[in-house]
Amino acid sequence: MSSDFETYEQDFGTLTAEITSRIVKIPKLAGVCSDGNDPEDEKKNMVVSVEKQLEEARELLEQMDLEVREIPVQSRGMHSTRLKSYKQELEKLEKDFKRSRIAYSDEVRDELLGDDGNSSESQLIKLRDERAHLLDNAEKLERSSRRLEAGYQIAVETEQVGQEILENLHHDREKIQRSRDRLRETDANLGKSSRILTGMLRRIIQNRILMFILGVIILFTVVLAIYFSVRGL
């Protein structure tokens, strides 16, 4: 189980390194490419590629999350901490990518405005308003993502607590079962002891009755002997 988690970790590390390298390159792509391609096309392709890699990174985190859930509770803490740090790293990459795309959009806007020196002030204001609107939406999405992440974390922690409670209840049930078995065994032994004592008491009573009868017989014999001896005189 942990070997699969480590494999996902290695893939995640390689993928995030590539994402970081490409995010840094996005705002810097300018001029004519070495292969003669349009630099704008290269930028767009780079953005699309980073988006796909970020999606792959999210899928890797989901796989690691599933692996962590299968790990026993007593050894799950270390993997959960590592997974949490990977999620934070991915969030940072997404923020860097967002800033990189904003810088790229500003650069495209400057190029468009540069081609037409007589662009009106209203167009510039409109672009600024659109940018502010996009930033506001991005912040809202980020806050929603944080709330979802917090809710998910609470659900995971609740699941862990539930599993621990179930394990404790299982251990308690085993203890109660063992105590019940011991009580049954003790009860059986007490039953045997009671039967033995009852048998011993019965034999004692029988012996006393026999002794009483024997004593009566002996006494009667002695009385007869004395009677006949006195009568013979």
Side-chain angles (χ1 to χ4, degrees):
M1 186 67 66
S2 60
S3 60
D4 294 336
F5 186 86
E6 292 174 357
T7 301
Y8 291 135
E9 280 184 310
Q10 294 174 359
D11 295 340
F12 182 80
T14 303
L15 189 59
T16 51
E18 295 178 359
I19 293 173
T20 302
S21 175
R22 292 185 176 182
I23 287 175
V24 173
K25 291 179 181 178
I26 290 176
K28 297 180 181 179
L29 290 174
V32 180
C33 299
S34 58
D35 54 2
N37 294 328
D38 187 353
E40 288 303 320
D41 291 338
E42 186 177 2
K43 288 181 180 180
K44 293 177 181 178
N45 293 334
M46 185 75 73
V47 169
V48 172
S49 178
V50 172
E51 289 176 344
K52 291 181 179 179
Q53 288 181 319
L54 286 172
E55 183 63 28
E56 292 178 9
R58 296 187 195 98
E59 292 177 357
L60 284 174
L61 289 180
E62 291 177 358
Q63 293 295 328
M64 282 191 277
D65 190 23
L66 293 175
E67 292 294 329
V68 169
R69 293 188 183 187
E70 298 296 329
I71 297 175
V73 178
Q74 57 271 21
S75 57
R76 187 182 299 172
M78 178 183 66
H79 293 82
S80 297
T81 302
R82 285 155 61 181
L83 178 60
K84 185 176 180 180
S85 66
Y86 297 146
K87 289 180 179 179
Q88 293 174 349
E89 181 180 355
L90 181 60
E91 289 178 358
K92 182 179 181 300
L93 286 176
E94 290 175 341
K95 291 179 181 178
D96 292 341
F97 178 56
K98 186 186 300 181
R99 285 194 293 267
S100 178
R101 291 190 63 179
I102 292 173
Y104 164 61
S105 300
D106 288 343
E107 183 180 346
V108 173
R109 184 199 64 189
D110 294 338
E111 291 177 359
L112 291 174
L113 293 178
D115 291 339
D116 184 9
N118 296 323
S119 297
S120 63
E121 184 69 20
S122 61
Q123 291 178 334
L124 182 59
I125 294 175
K126 182 178 179 181
L127 288 173
R128 289 177 179 174
D129 292 340
E130 290 179 353
R131 180 186 178 188
H133 182 67
L134 289 173
L135 288 174
D136 184 58
N137 290 337
E139 290 178 356
K140 290 180 179 179
L141 288 174
E142 186 175 351
R143 288 194 296 269
S144 299
S145 177
R146 286 198 297 267
R147 286 195 293 268
L148 289 174
E149 181 66 25
Y152 176 74
Q153 187 66 29
I154 292 173
V156 171
E157 293 175 356
T158 303
E159 181 184 1
Q160 293 177 355
V161 172
Q163 289 180 350
E164 292 176 357
I165 292 174
L166 288 176
E167 290 182 358
N168 292 333
L169 290 175
H170 180 69
H171 293 324
D172 293 340
R173 179 183 178 185
E174 291 180 347
K175 292 179 180 178
I176 293 173
Q177 187 65 37
R178 287 194 296 268
S179 300
R180 184 181 298 173
D181 293 338
R182 285 194 294 268
L183 287 174
R184 289 177 179 173
E185 185 178 354
T186 303
D187 184 63
N189 293 331
L190 289 174
K192 291 179 181 179
S193 300
S194 178
R195 288 193 296 271
I196 293 172
L197 290 174
T198 301
M200 292 175 64
L201 182 60
R202 187 183 298 111
R203 285 194 294 272
I204 291 173
I205 294 173
Q206 290 174 352
N207 291 334
R208 287 185 177 180
I209 293 173
L210 290 175
M211 290 178 64
F212 177 76
I213 295 172
L214 182 61
V216 170
I217 293 172
I218 293 174
L219 179 61
F220 183 71
T221 303
V222 171
V223 170
L224 287 177
I226 295 173
Y227 173 75
F228 286 114
S229 297
V230 171
R231 186 176 179 182
L233 295 175

